[in-house]
Amino acid sequence: MSVHGDRARGIPAERRELTSVYHHSGTMARQSVGSSTGLLEPAAPATDAILFQRCAWCATAMYHRLLCPVCQGSELRTERSEGVGTVRHSTVVHRNTPAARNVSLVELAEGFVVRGRVTGPAAAIHSGDRVRMSTAKDPVRGEPVFQLVDEPYRAWS
């Protein structure tokens, strides 16, 4: 079927733009919001926010991926996270540092998990604590830094 034949039948331009499953025509308009390349944009303005990707096909949120882990799609949009989440796992690390520090897995409200550090006493951070991002990149390790939103109630601590 040719493109000219589709025009005569009244098929909308959006549907005519795909010439095959794997290639698009050169006239396809690019999305104005985010990047659809699957890579985080290094030229983005340096703000204090976590950038993540969202799959254009299944809307799964992910952090630093090239392909969607659910549908294997490569059309990923870059979005900005609000920085609010919940600690899913936290552990205390004693090596390569002068003092003990924690390493935590934080599930952000957008639905993706990121590894970072939560400020405060390392032994006082537990799974289920609510956190908010304070710095997008730690100057030493390059990981996000979070702080506790509210002091958790611990009856047995």
Side-chain angles (χ1 to χ4, degrees):
M1 212 181 269
S2 73
V3 173
H4 300 292
D6 291 341
R7 248 183 246 153
R9 291 190 196 122
I11 295 175
E14 297 83 33
R15 293 188 61 204
R16 280 185 274 135
E17 305 240 337
L18 285 177
T19 57
S20 77
V21 176
Y22 300 105
H23 302 293
H24 61 81
S25 66
T27 61
M28 181 182 277
R30 294 284 177 200
Q31 295 177 351
S32 60
V33 177
S35 170
S36 62
T37 62
L39 300 175
L40 292 175
E41 298 173 357
T47 59
D48 225 18
I50 296 178
L51 299 178
F52 68 100
Q53 295 106 339
R54 188 173 302 277
C55 179
W57 293 98
C58 69
T60 300
M62 66 214 80
Y63 185 66
H64 286 285
R65 294 286 185 106
L66 295 175
L67 296 174
C68 174
V70 175
C71 71
Q72 305 302 314
S74 62
E75 194 172 331
L76 308 176
R77 293 186 315 265
T78 300
E79 296 182 15
R80 187 175 314 276
S81 172
E82 294 293 322
V84 177
T86 305
V87 175
R88 288 294 163 223
H89 179 74
S90 184
T91 187
V92 179
V93 177
H94 295 278
R95 65 171 186 231
N96 298 333
T97 59
R101 64 180 175 90
N102 76 330
V103 175
S104 300
L105 294 177
V106 177
E107 183 178 352
L108 288 140
E110 291 82 8
F112 66 96
V113 177
V114 64
R115 176 183 154 177
R117 184 170 57 88
V118 180
T119 58
I125 299 161
H126 302 284
S127 296
D129 289 345
R130 294 184 315 148
V131 294
R132 178 179 303 279
M133 186 188 66
S134 61
T135 306
K137 273 200 163 198
D138 180 12
V140 176
R141 302 205 182 273
E143 297 176 336
V145 179
F146 297 91
Q147 62 187 8
L148 292 172
V149 171
D150 50 7
E151 189 63 34
Y153 173 71
R154 306 224 187 273
W156 301 101
S157 297

PDB file of all heavy atoms in Angstrom, residues 18-24:
ATOM      1  N   LEU A  18       3.880   6.272   9.609  1.00  0.00           N
ATOM      2  CA  LEU A  18       4.658   5.047   9.786  1.00  0.00           C
ATOM      3  C   LEU A  18       4.770   4.324   8.452  1.00  0.00           C
ATOM      4  O   LEU A  18       3.772   3.969   7.836  1.00  0.00           O
ATOM      5  CB  LEU A  18       3.996   4.134  10.812  1.00  0.00           C
ATOM      6  CG  LEU A  18       4.141   4.555  12.259  1.00  0.00           C
ATOM      7  CD1 LEU A  18       3.381   3.595  13.159  1.00  0.00           C
ATOM      8  CD2 LEU A  18       5.586   4.585  12.665  1.00  0.00           C
ATOM      9  N   THR A  19       5.996   4.113   8.002  1.00  0.00           N
ATOM     10  CA  THR A  19       6.203   3.392   6.752  1.00  0.00           C
ATOM     11  C   THR A  19       6.437   1.913   6.997  1.00  0.00           C
ATOM     12  O   THR A  19       6.229   1.107   6.121  1.00  0.00           O
ATOM     13  CB  THR A  19       7.383   3.988   5.969  1.00  0.00           C
ATOM     14  OG1 THR A  19       8.539   3.960   6.798  1.00  0.00           O
ATOM     15  CG2 THR A  19       7.081   5.401   5.540  1.00  0.00           C
ATOM     16  N   SER A  20       6.918   1.562   8.194  1.00  0.00           N
ATOM     17  CA  SER A  20       7.049   0.163   8.574  1.00  0.00           C
ATOM     18  C   SER A  20       7.038   0.104  10.095  1.00  0.00           C
ATOM     19  O   SER A  20       6.973   1.109  10.765  1.00  0.00           O
ATOM     20  CB  SER A  20       8.338  -0.446   8.026  1.00  0.00           C
ATOM     21  OG  SER A  20       9.434  -0.028   8.798  1.00  0.00           O
ATOM     22  N   VAL A  21       7.113  -1.088  10.632  1.00  0.00           N
ATOM     23  CA  VAL A  21       7.112  -1.256  12.075  1.00  0.00           C
ATOM     24  C   VAL A  21       8.382  -0.676  12.695  1.00  0.00           C
ATOM     25  O   VAL A  21       8.367  -0.153  13.794  1.00  0.00           O
ATOM     26  CB  VAL A  21       6.980  -2.750  12.431  1.00  0.00           C
ATOM     27  CG1 VAL A  21       7.074  -2.977  13.919  1.00  0.00           C
ATOM     28  CG2 VAL A  21       5.681  -3.302  11.883  1.00  0.00           C
ATOM     29  N   TYR A  22       9.508  -0.708  11.990  1.00  0.00           N
ATOM     30  CA  TYR A  22      10.786  -0.350  12.565  1.00  0.00           C
ATOM     31  C   TYR A  22      11.290   1.031  12.180  1.00  0.00           C
ATOM     32  O   TYR A  22      12.184   1.551  12.800  1.00  0.00           O
ATOM     33  CB  TYR A  22      11.839  -1.388  12.186  1.00  0.00           C
ATOM     34  CG  TYR A  22      11.465  -2.752  12.675  1.00  0.00           C
ATOM     35  CD1 TYR A  22      10.994  -3.716  11.802  1.00  0.00           C
ATOM     36  CD2 TYR A  22      11.530  -3.060  14.026  1.00  0.00           C
ATOM     37  CE1 TYR A  22      10.639  -4.956  12.254  1.00  0.00           C
ATOM     38  CE2 TYR A  22      11.156  -4.304  14.480  1.00  0.00           C
ATOM     39  CZ  TYR A  22      10.716  -5.249  13.597  1.00  0.00           C
ATOM     40  OH  TYR A  22      10.357  -6.473  14.053  1.00  0.00           O
ATOM     41  N   HIS A  23      10.773   1.616  11.125  1.00  0.00           N
ATOM     42  CA  HIS A  23      11.265   2.901  10.663  1.00  0.00           C
ATOM     43  C   HIS A  23      10.123   3.892  10.555  1.00  0.00           C
ATOM     44  O   HIS A  23       9.011   3.524  10.203  1.00  0.00           O
ATOM     45  CB  HIS A  23      11.935   2.762   9.291  1.00  0.00           C
ATOM     46  CG  HIS A  23      13.063   1.801   9.290  1.00  0.00           C
ATOM     47  ND1 HIS A  23      14.223   2.032   9.971  1.00  0.00           N
ATOM     48  CD2 HIS A  23      13.190   0.588   8.720  1.00  0.00           C
ATOM     49  CE1 HIS A  23      15.039   1.004   9.806  1.00  0.00           C
ATOM     50  NE2 HIS A  23      14.438   0.114   9.053  1.00  0.00           N
ATOM     51  N   HIS A  24      10.403   5.141  10.848  1.00  0.00           N
ATOM     52  CA  HIS A  24       9.392   6.163  10.654  1.00  0.00           C
ATOM     53  C   HIS A  24       9.848   7.090   9.536  1.00  0.00           C
ATOM     54  O   HIS A  24      11.016   7.167   9.202  1.00  0.00           O
ATOM     55  CB  HIS A  24       9.149   6.956  11.941  1.00  0.00           C
ATOM     56  CG  HIS A  24      10.359   7.679  12.435  1.00  0.00           C
ATOM     57  ND1 HIS A  24      10.759   8.886  11.922  1.00  0.00           N
ATOM     58  CD2 HIS A  24      11.270   7.363  13.391  1.00  0.00           C
ATOM     59  CE1 HIS A  24      11.857   9.288  12.545  1.00  0.00           C
ATOM     60  NE2 HIS A  24      12.189   8.385  13.432  1.00  0.00           N
TER      61      HIS A  24
END
